[in-house]
């Protein structure tokens, strides 16, 4: 046989093996008797178009509706060629997130701190490492800590107000402006550094923060490989963080920590609290009160950098998109905007003319508006867990194998008419005290639920509410010719983000 013939035969053999491998992966659930969505794409599974033409929120919503139409409590499908179980029944959602948390305590994210230091963060860590770190970090996010940062956040909001004053009666793309505001907030509250991206939109903080959320095919391939073949990925030293992104954050943290420790700098920010944990294994007041946990192990510089990194990336983009979507809805629903403005003004006037932490965080209608925004536009459309052992779904014979992912489709649940009638309608009264009491638990999941609920929830809510109070009291937001009747999500963004931006006109009140 000629050399060309051998090569052609080898290519055919490799393609045949690849085809058989992918087909076996797509038959994963059918062979186990699970209800599953038919006709998967050979390369994408049921995620056809994800990241190219459609956002994952739309794809998972279709699978959720397919299951609902057939009365299924869960549905097996292929995320590319990775098997996933989507949970569609709310009682089963509660079981996964809370009742059987001991089985589903991990997210299934790839973490390899030795080769990829920034991956060793609280969001990605698993098992004992996650529990120990969560216990140490929880006291840094109490309401008392948030009050200490509130004044700093108000100062950044004042800069936002000044910036918007320069844009009166202009059409402004709000997504970019709000990302700069939250970058300045996080830079100040996490690093104690004034980023000034509202004045300097070319800041490295903003550039590298955005990089994390870019939907790039190579990053997707690396992450999928690492999640499917974790042991091999660890052995190979696979990195999911780009080298220049890692270098920026690692150098920034090293330089800032060295400066603070050399000069005895103390600030009311997240980094200062992490430095106490790094050096003493607990916060200073815990040590004085004797309330620290038995584990007094400190943190390495790499571990500290990983926590600052996830605090930054989780706080700046998600909070800015929530405010962005909220302003869009307020512009499209001027009666809600006027009511919110009136109620905020009355509350602040009654408070001596100054917003305080308790007033902002406890404001009833502001909370309803923010919650309805989170309901309609949850920043992360999905919450993922992984079975730590073979798990028999209660009331069935179906077994979710160990290490297989379990998906809670947050966006789809939030848009289910059974839980929220007319789900596309923006109605903050859904979250009045009475309506919230009467709603089925575990149908509102913007921060997840259970022991692994988002640890930075208070900070994120404070950032969103401070920004909205500053803007809505002073400015009126109106739609323009570029404002769409309906938001379409950008398929290239991991989080929910409007394709083409969000253009609004600003008037001074």
């Amino acid at each position: 046989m000629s050399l060309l013939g051998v090569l052609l035969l080898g290519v055919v053999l490799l393609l045949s093996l690849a085809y058989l491998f992918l087909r076996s992966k797509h038959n994963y659930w059918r062979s186990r008797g699970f209800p599953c969505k038919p006709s998967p794409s050979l390369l994408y599974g049921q995620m056809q178009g994800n990241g190219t033409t459609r956002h994952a929120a739309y794809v998972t919503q279709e699978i959720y509706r397919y299951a609902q139409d057939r009365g299924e409590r869960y549905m097996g499908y292929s995320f590319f060629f990775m098997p996933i179980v989507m949970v569609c029944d709310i009682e089963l959602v509660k079981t996964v997130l809370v009742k059987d948390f001991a089985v589903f305590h991990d997210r299934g994210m790839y973490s390899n701190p030795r080769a990829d230091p920034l991956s060793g963060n609280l969001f990605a860590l698993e098992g004992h490492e996650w529990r120990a770190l969560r216990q140490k970090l929880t006291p840094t996010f109490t309401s008392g800590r948030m009050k200490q940062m509130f004044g700093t956040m108000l100062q950044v909001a004042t800069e936002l107000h000044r910036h918007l004053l320069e844009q009166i009666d202009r059409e402004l793309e709000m997504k970019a402006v709000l990302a700069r505001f939250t970058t300045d907030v996080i830079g100040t509250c996490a690093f104690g550094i004034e980023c000034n991206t509202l004045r300097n939109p070319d800041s490295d903080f903003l550039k590298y923060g955005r990089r994390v959320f870019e939907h790039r095919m190579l990053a997707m391939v690396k992450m999928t490989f690492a999640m499917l073949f974790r042991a091999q990925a660890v052995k190979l030293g696979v990195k999911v963080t780009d080298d220049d992104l890692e270098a920026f954050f690692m150098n920034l943290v090293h330089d800032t920590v060295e400066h603070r420790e050399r000069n005895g700098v103390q600030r009311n920010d997240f980094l200062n609290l992490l430095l106490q944990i790094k050096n003493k294994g607990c916060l200073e007041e815990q040590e004085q009160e004797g309330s620290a946990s038995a584990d007094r192990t400190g943190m390495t510089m790499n571990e500290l950098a990983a926590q600052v990194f996830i605090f930054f990336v989780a706080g700046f983009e998600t909070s800015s998109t929530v405010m962005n979507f909220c302003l869009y809805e307020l512009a499209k629903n001027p009666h809600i905007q006027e009511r919110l403005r009136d109620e905020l003004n009355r509350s602040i006037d009654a408070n001596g003319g100054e917003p305080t932490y308790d007033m902002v965080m406890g404001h009833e209608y502001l909370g309803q508006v923010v919650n309805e925004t989170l309901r309609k536009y949850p920043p992360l459309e999905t919450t993922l867990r992984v079975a730590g052992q073979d798990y028999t779904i209660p009331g069935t014979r179906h077994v979710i194998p160990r290490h297989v992912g379990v998906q809670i489709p947050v966006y789809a649940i939030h848009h289910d008419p059974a839980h929220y009638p007319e789900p596309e309608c923006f109605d903050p009264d859904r979250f009045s005290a009475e309506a919230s009491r009467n709603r089925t638990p575990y149908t509102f999941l913007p921060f997840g639920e259970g022991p692994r609920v988002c640890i930075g929830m208070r900070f994120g809510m404070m950032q969103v509410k401070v920004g909205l109070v500053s803007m809505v009291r002073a400015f009126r937001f109106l739609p323009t010719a570029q404002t769409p009747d309906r938001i379409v999500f950008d398929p290239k963004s991991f989080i929910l983000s409007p394709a083409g931006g969000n253009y609004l006109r600003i008037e001074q009140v």
Side-chain angles (χ1 to χ4, degrees):
M1 184 180 292
S2 68
L3 178 60
L4 178 61
V6 172
L7 290 174
L8 287 175
L9 182 62
V11 169
V12 170
L13 180 61
L14 286 174
L15 290 175
S16 299
L17 290 173
Y19 175 83
L20 292 173
F21 171 79
L22 292 172
R23 276 296 166 212
S24 69
K25 288 293 183 181
H26 295 324
N27 285 328
Y28 187 91
W29 295 117
R30 190 177 302 280
S31 66
R32 287 165 170 77
F34 270 69
C36 52
K37 196 168 186 297
S39 306
S41 161
L42 186 63
L43 293 177
Y44 295 97
Q46 267 79 26
M47 303 306 289
Q48 183 72 38
N50 177 40
T52 54
T53 59
R54 294 191 302 165
H55 194 278
Y58 302 129
V59 182
T60 54
Q61 187 179 36
E62 286 179 3
I63 300 171
Y64 176 87
R65 287 175 174 172
Y66 181 87
Q68 292 282 312
D69 290 345
R70 285 153 182 78
E72 301 290 357
R73 298 166 56 213
Y74 48 89
M75 180 70 58
Y77 76 98
S78 297
F79 180 89
F80 295 93
F81 53 90
M82 184 163 58
I84 297 285
V85 178
M86 180 183 291
V87 176
C88 307
D89 174 73
I90 297 303
E91 190 59 35
L92 193 51
V93 168
K94 179 181 178 181
T95 298
V96 169
L97 295 180
V98 180
K99 288 183 178 179
D100 288 333
F101 178 77
V103 177
F104 300 102
H105 49 73
D106 296 333
R107 298 184 191 274
M109 303 299 295
Y110 175 70
S111 177
N112 182 8
R114 180 173 296 178
D116 191 355
L118 296 183
S119 72
N121 59 71
L122 187 66
F123 186 83
L125 286 175
E126 299 184 338
H128 172 73
E129 289 80 8
W130 169 78
R131 286 190 182 88
L133 185 59
R134 175 86 182 204
Q135 188 175 23
K136 290 178 181 178
L137 292 181
T138 295
T140 68
F141 289 96
T142 62
S143 57
R145 297 295 181 192
M146 297 305 102
K147 286 183 180 181
Q148 292 176 0
M149 298 182 188
F150 184 76
T152 302
M153 201 173 286
L154 278 181
Q155 293 173 8
V156 182
T158 300
E159 290 300 315
L160 174 63
H161 178 268
R162 289 174 183 164
H163 178 75
L164 293 180
L165 277 175
E166 300 170 0
Q167 315 297 326
I168 296 300
D169 294 326
R170 296 181 187 175
E171 185 178 57
L172 190 62
E173 202 290 290
M174 294 306 303
K175 180 175 180 287
V177 172
L178 295 171
R180 286 149 65 186
F181 165 67
T182 53
T183 298
D184 286 353
V185 169
I186 298 291
T188 303
C189 292
F191 295 92
I193 295 174
E194 294 184 8
C195 305
N196 294 319
T197 61
L198 283 165
R199 300 290 175 187
N200 174 27
D202 297 324
S203 162
D204 282 343
F205 264 95
L206 191 58
K207 179 179 75 173
Y208 285 109
R210 283 174 172 159
R211 280 273 299 281
V212 177
F213 293 95
E214 290 176 357
H215 198 305
R216 289 168 293 145
M217 185 53 67
L218 178 59
M220 281 292 297
V221 170
K222 285 200 297 184
M223 179 59 77
T224 302
F225 172 81
M227 291 171 69
L228 270 174
F229 308 105
R230 183 166 309 192
Q232 293 86 342
V234 170
K235 287 180 181 178
L236 293 171
V238 171
K239 293 183 62 172
V240 294
T241 309
D242 292 342
D243 289 338
D244 59 338
L245 180 68
E246 176 188 302
F248 173 76
F249 278 99
M250 294 295 288
N251 291 337
L252 180 67
V253 171
H254 275 265
D255 292 346
T256 306
V257 168
E258 182 181 350
H259 171 75
R260 290 197 183 191
E261 293 189 332
R262 185 175 62 245
N263 298 286
V265 176
Q266 297 288 321
R267 292 180 62 105
N268 286 327
D269 58 21
F270 184 59
L271 182 57
N272 193 61
L273 301 174
L274 287 182
L275 282 173
Q276 294 175 29
I277 297 172
K278 167 183 171 289
N279 296 325
K280 300 182 179 182
C282 65
L283 300 182
E284 289 176 354
E285 66 263 29
Q286 289 180 295
E287 183 181 43
Q288 294 167 2
E289 296 168 0
S291 59
S293 66
D295 181 6
R296 298 289 293 276
T297 307
M299 299 170 67
T300 67
M301 186 68 81
N302 282 359
E303 289 170 336
L304 184 149
Q307 310 326 310
V308 175
F309 169 74
I310 198 65
F311 181 74
F312 177 78
V313 299
F316 106 89
E317 182 77 358
T318 54
S319 294
S320 67
T321 57
V322 171
M323 285 188 286
N324 187 37
F325 286 127
C326 188
L327 291 181
Y328 167 83
E329 291 292 350
L330 293 178
K332 301 291 282 188
N333 298 277
H335 63 289
I336 296 176
Q337 184 177 168
E338 292 302 325
R339 178 182 169 186
L340 177 60
R341 182 177 297 110
D342 290 344
E343 294 200 15
L344 284 173
N345 285 333
R346 279 199 300 271
S347 297
I348 291 175
D349 289 343
N351 200 53
E354 292 294 330
T356 62
Y357 174 84
D358 292 326
M359 183 247 114
V360 170
M361 297 303 286
H363 194 280
E364 184 177 3
Y365 195 62
L366 175 62
Q368 290 177 214
V369 169
V370 172
N371 281 343
E372 175 65 349
T373 304
L374 288 166
R375 195 274 310 169
K376 194 172 179 183
Y377 307 101
L380 295 178
E381 59 91 16
T382 279
T383 289
L384 191 67
R385 296 289 185 268
V386 167
Q389 62 191 52
D390 288 355
Y391 179 81
T392 302
I393 298 175
T396 78
R397 295 181 179 179
H398 289 152
V399 176
I400 302 174
R402 183 186 180 200
H403 295 157
V404 167
V406 177
Q407 179 187 20
I408 312 298
V410 175
Y411 178 85
I413 291 171
H414 285 189
H415 288 75
D416 187 339
H419 308 309
Y420 299 96
E422 298 183 72
E424 297 307 317
C425 174
F426 186 80
D427 180 13
D429 288 333
R430 298 183 203 271
F431 290 92
S432 67
E434 181 179 0
S436 297
R437 279 195 303 270
N438 294 330
R439 185 174 302 112
T440 303
Y442 299 90
T443 55
F444 182 60
L445 301 164
F447 299 102
E449 195 50 87
R452 201 144 187 172
V453 68
C454 175
I455 194 173
M457 176 172 59
R458 276 197 187 97
F459 183 90
M461 290 293 278
M462 180 170 70
Q463 186 173 210
V464 167
K465 290 181 177 182
V466 167
L468 289 174
V469 168
S470 175
M471 291 185 289
V472 172
R473 290 186 68 215
F475 306 101
R476 183 173 289 108
F477 296 88
L478 303 104
T480 72
Q482 291 194 72
T483 308
D485 290 333
R486 181 187 176 95
I487 291 286
V488 175
F489 302 131
D490 182 358
K492 292 182 172 58
S493 173
F494 282 115
I495 67 172
L496 294 194
S497 182
N502 176 30
Y503 289 86
L504 300 175
R505 186 163 63 87
I506 302 175
E507 291 181 353
Q508 190 169 10
V509 174

